[in-house]
Amino acid sequence: MQNKQSGIQTISGNIVDVVSGNIIKGIVTVSEGRIIDIQASDNIDDQFIIPGFVDAHIHIESSMMLPAEFARYSVVHGTVACVCDPHEIANVCGIAGVDYMIENGMQSPMKFYFGAPSCVPSTKYETSGAVLDAEEVEKLLQRDDIYFLAEMMNFPGVIHKNKQVHLKLKAAQLAGKPIDGHAPDLNGEELIAYVAGGISTDHECMTIADAEAKIALGMKVQIREGSAAKNFDDLLSLLEDHSESIMFCSDDKHPDDLIKNGHINSLVQRAVAKGYDAVKVIKVCTLNPIKHYKLDVGLLQIGDSADFNVVNNLTEFVIKSTYISGEMVSEDGTALYPRYIPTEIINQFNAEKITVSQLRVQPSGKSLNVIVVDDGQLFTHAHWMSQKIENGNVISDVENDVLKLVVYNRYQPSIPAIGFIKNIGLKIGALASTVSHDSHNIVAVGTSDAEIVSAINQIIESKGGILACEGKRTCLLSLPVGGTMSDQEGSLISKQYEEIDAMAKEMGSTLKAPFMTLAFMSLLVIPKLKLSDKGLFNGSTFTFTNLME
C-alpha cells in the first residue's frame, strides 16, 4: 500500500525500528523528504520497511565508476549512504580531486560523506601526484562538506609523534570530527599509543583477538568484505558480544562484484543466514555508522530524513524499493533516475615510455627477496628464493611462478623499480594497471620483460587504465579520470572489467581478483613486503630492503 496525495505519501509494512529494537505493523507517512508520522496499523502490506544501508568505509575509486554512477548500481542494493575516503584521487590530483568527487556525488540522490585524506602521500617512500600537509588538511576539515579525517595509515607517525601527523589529528579533534584508523597487525603498547592519538575506527582487523583488543580500547571495528580483502567470515562472531562496536564496510569494491553480488545487503543476508538476529544485524549497518559519523541519514524515526528500504522479508532481504530523502530511487532492481554524464575529466599523467633494457636486473648473490601473495588478503610474505638468469639478466621464472614485478612513476620521468612476486600464476603475457594503491603509479607483472614493457607502454598511451596483453592481443579498460575511474556507464565498465579479468585468468592467474591483488602490491602501509616506485619495501620495519643477497 503506497499512496501519494498533495505531496504526502504513505508506505505500509512491518517497520523495523533499530533505535528501540522493535518491529511494529504500521504506516510511514512522508512529506517534503522527511517522515512526518508513523502510525500502528494491522492493515498493512506484506513487506518490511527497514533503514537504508550505510557503507561505513569505502574508496569509491575502486569501483572504477564515478560517484554518481556508483550510486545507480548501489541504490538498487539498498545502499542510501557511503562514508567515503577520497584518498585515491587525492594522491593523484590533490584537493582538486576531492572537490571533483564531492561535486560528482552531488549529481545523484545517494548521500556521500567524504573525509579529508590524511596521508597524501601515504608515506615518504613513494611518489604521488600531490602532497596535502597539515595546513591543507586543516582547511579541509573546517569545511561543512568534509565529515571526518580519513584513515590514518601512517601509524608509525602517530606512535612516534610525527609533527605533521599530530597536527592533522589535532585539527580533526578541534573540528569535532571523527578520525578513521588503519592499524594492520598493530598491538600492545604501539596500539595503545595509536588509539591515544584520537583514532576511533579500524577496518584492517583479520582476527577476533585483533578486533577485541581494539574494541577494548574504545575503537569501532569496521568488518570489511571487499573484492580483494575479505574478513567478514572471520570477524562476524563479534556480533554476539560487540554489536554496538562494529559496522560493515567494503573498503574496495570492483564493478562486476558490485553489480552481480550486491553491496552491504549481501552482508546482511549472510549474517542473518548464520543465525544472527535480523534487527541487530540491520542496526550494525545503519544506526552504528550514522551515530559515529553524525550523518544526516534517517533511521525511520519521526522527523528523520526518509531514507529506507522496502524488502520482502528479513531472511532474503530482496530489495523491492529504496527511498532517499523521500524519493523512490530504485524499484525491483532498477534505478529510477538517469545517469549523470560528466563534462570534465581530471587526471595527471607524465610518464615516458620505457624499453626492455630498462628492466634488466643484474644478478648479485644467490637469492631473490620475493613478495608472496595470499589470495584474498592484502598482507604479503617475504621468501628468499633462487634466481633464474638468462644472458646476465634475472628474469621471470614462470615454471616456479616467480614473476618480475615493476612499479613505474607516472608523474615524472623516472627509472622503473623492479621486484619479484609469487602466486600471481601467469603462464603467458603481462598485466598492468594505474590502479595501484596508494600513489597510483603504474604497476605491472609479466612472464617476460618484453611483455611487461608492452603492457606498460600501452597503459602510458591510454593515460591510465588496466590491461591484460599477450603478444599482439590486448584487452584494455581505459580509466581517464585520475587513472582510476572511467566516465562510462557502469554496466559497460563492468563488462570490460570482466573481459580483462577473464583474459588474466586465461593467461594462467588463479587469483579471484588478479587486478585487485596487483593494485595492493605497492601499498606500503600493509606488511610485509611491497614495491614502490622507489624500491622494494619492508612494511613491518618501514624501511627499504634488498632485492638480492
Side-chain angles (χ1 to χ4, degrees):
M1 178 176 65
Q2 178 177 323
N3 298 315
K4 283 189 176 182
Q5 185 178 6
S6 302
I8 297 176
Q9 57 181 315
T10 59
I11 302 97
S12 75
N14 299 281
I15 303 166
V16 177
D17 185 345
V18 293
V19 176
S20 69
N22 298 322
I23 300 175
I24 65 167
K25 294 181 177 181
I27 300 171
V28 177
T29 302
V30 176
S31 177
E32 297 183 351
R34 295 205 166 259
I35 295 173
I36 61 170
D37 193 25
I38 298 175
Q39 290 289 334
S41 174
D42 289 326
N43 183 25
I44 62 169
D45 289 320
D46 184 18
Q47 58 191 17
F48 286 77
I49 306 170
I50 65 174
F53 301 131
V54 179
D55 190 327
H57 175 77
I58 186 171
H59 304 275
I60 297 295
E61 299 96 319
S62 68
S63 71
M64 303 180 201
M65 303 179 196
L66 289 168
E69 191 66 13
F70 173 90
R72 293 180 65 245
Y73 289 90
S74 188
V75 295
V76 299
H77 300 306
T79 306
V80 301
C82 289
V83 179
C84 309
D85 181 353
H87 172 91
E88 315 302 343
I89 192 68
N91 266 283
V92 178
C93 299
I95 291 177
V98 177
D99 290 336
Y100 187 89
M101 296 293 280
I102 293 173
E103 176 63 26
N104 189 272
M106 291 173 63
Q107 309 308 313
S108 80
M110 178 172 281
K111 298 184 174 185
F112 290 102
Y113 296 93
F114 286 95
S118 66
C119 300
V120 178
S122 58
T123 74
K124 63 182 180 181
Y125 305 105
E126 58 197 306
T127 306
S128 65
V131 175
L132 298 185
D133 61 17
E135 183 178 353
E136 289 174 298
V137 169
E138 181 180 10
K139 289 178 181 177
L140 279 172
L141 286 164
Q142 291 172 350
R143 290 168 41 169
D144 291 338
D145 57 358
I146 296 294
Y147 292 84
F148 60 102
L149 182 63
E151 58 180 303
M152 177 51 73
M153 293 180 289
N154 189 356
F155 52 85
V158 178
I159 295 166
H160 300 297
K161 299 190 182 299
N162 175 276
K163 182 179 179 180
Q164 279 285 311
V165 168
H166 276 264
L167 284 173
K168 293 174 185 179
L169 297 175
K170 183 178 179 181
Q173 292 169 330
L174 289 174
K177 295 179 178 180
I179 303 170
D180 270 1
H182 173 108
D185 207 28
L186 207 59
N187 51 57
E189 293 300 317
E190 289 189 331
L191 178 60
I192 292 171
Y194 184 73
V195 176
I199 296 162
S200 60
T201 69
D202 184 66
H203 60 275
E204 295 290 347
C205 295
M206 297 177 64
T207 67
I208 291 293
D210 183 16
E212 289 185 333
K214 290 169 181 173
I215 290 172
L217 292 172
M219 298 184 85
K220 307 291 184 184
V221 168
Q222 296 156 325
I223 298 179
R224 173 178 58 192
E225 189 77 351
S227 296
K230 300 179 183 294
N231 310 117
F232 184 80
D233 290 334
D234 292 330
L235 300 178
L236 186 58
S237 63
L238 291 169
L239 262 168
E240 295 173 7
D241 299 319
H242 303 291
S243 64
E244 303 286 336
S245 299
I246 62 174
M247 313 173 207
F248 290 162
C249 77
S250 56
D251 195 11
D252 292 285
K253 194 78 169 172
H254 264 190
D256 59 329
D257 191 7
L258 174 66
I259 291 174
K260 289 187 172 182
N261 300 321
H263 196 189
I264 300 300
N265 63 316
S266 66
L267 305 184
V268 173
Q269 292 167 347
R270 286 166 59 183
V272 172
K274 289 181 178 291
Y276 292 99
D277 176 72
V279 176
K280 183 182 288 189
V281 172
I282 296 168
K283 181 177 179 180
V284 163
C285 53
T286 57
L287 178 65
N288 289 4
I290 290 169
K291 284 177 59 181
H292 181 76
Y293 292 103
K294 303 172 186 176
L295 310 180
D296 181 23
V297 178
L299 288 166
L300 284 175
Q301 306 295 301
I302 294 174
D304 276 2
S305 178
D307 310 315
F308 55 84
N309 298 320
V310 179
V311 301
N312 63 334
N313 56 50
L314 297 187
T315 303
E316 299 171 306
F317 287 93
V318 173
I319 308 293
K320 298 174 67 175
S321 56
T322 299
Y323 290 77
I324 299 178
S325 298
E327 292 295 323
M328 186 191 291
V329 297
S330 78
E331 185 174 29
D332 297 329
T334 301
L336 300 180
Y337 59 95
R339 71 178 296 259
Y340 170 70
I341 301 174
T343 57
E344 295 183 12
I345 297 296
I346 190 170
N347 201 357
Q348 186 178 180
F349 209 105
N350 301 302
E352 295 181 347
K353 288 187 177 181
I354 64 170
T355 64
V356 171
S357 64
Q358 289 177 271
L359 298 192
R360 288 185 62 84
V361 176
Q362 185 75 26
S364 63
K366 295 183 179 180
S367 300
L368 277 175
N369 197 4
V370 177
I371 300 168
V372 181
V373 302
D374 289 332
D375 198 4
Q377 297 299 333
L378 306 187
F379 277 73
T380 62
H381 311 284
H383 288 181
W384 289 97
M385 298 181 178
S386 61
Q387 308 172 26
K388 183 175 182 179
I389 302 170
E390 184 178 276
N391 298 323
N393 177 30
V394 183
I395 63 172
S396 293
D397 184 353
V398 178
E399 292 76 15
N400 292 306
D401 192 17
V402 178
L403 305 180
K404 189 170 283 188
L405 179 72
V406 176
V407 176
Y408 185 49
N409 188 331
R410 63 178 277 197
Y411 301 106
Q412 59 198 45
S414 187
I415 298 171
I418 300 171
F420 288 82
I421 190 167
K422 183 175 177 60
N423 291 342
I424 298 295
L426 293 181
K427 302 300 181 186
I428 54 175
L431 311 177
S433 174
T434 49
V435 179
S436 58
H437 307 288
D438 280 313
S439 292
H440 299 288
N441 289 300
I442 301 169
V443 59
V445 64
T447 55
S448 73
D449 290 0
E451 291 283 12
I452 295 171
V453 166
S454 175
I456 290 174
N457 287 342
Q458 289 182 76
I459 282 286
I460 291 171
E461 287 179 0
S462 70
K463 300 294 184 183
I466 64 171
L467 71 77
C469 68
E470 189 271 320
K472 294 183 178 180
R473 182 187 174 200
T474 295
C475 197
L476 167 70
L477 169 57
S478 180
L479 300 174
V481 184
T484 64
M485 292 171 285
S486 170
D487 58 345
Q488 299 299 308
E489 199 271 336
S491 62
L492 177 61
I493 298 170
S494 176
K495 181 176 182 293
Q496 290 178 327
Y497 175 75
E498 285 181 322
E499 290 172 353
I500 299 170
D501 182 71
M503 183 173 173
K505 290 169 181 174
E506 288 170 11
M507 289 158 52
S509 180
T510 56
L511 297 172
K512 292 177 183 176
F515 283 99
M516 185 67 89
T517 298
L518 186 63
F520 285 101
M521 292 307 100
S522 57
L523 183 58
L524 309 186
V525 294
I526 294 186
K528 182 175 183 184
L529 192 62
K530 298 291 174 70
L531 181 68
S532 85
D533 68 295
K534 296 182 178 181
L536 197 62
F537 190 79
N538 185 324
S540 298
T541 61
F542 248 59
T543 57
F544 287 109
T545 188
N546 294 328
L547 175 62
M548 289 177 278
E549 70 172 20

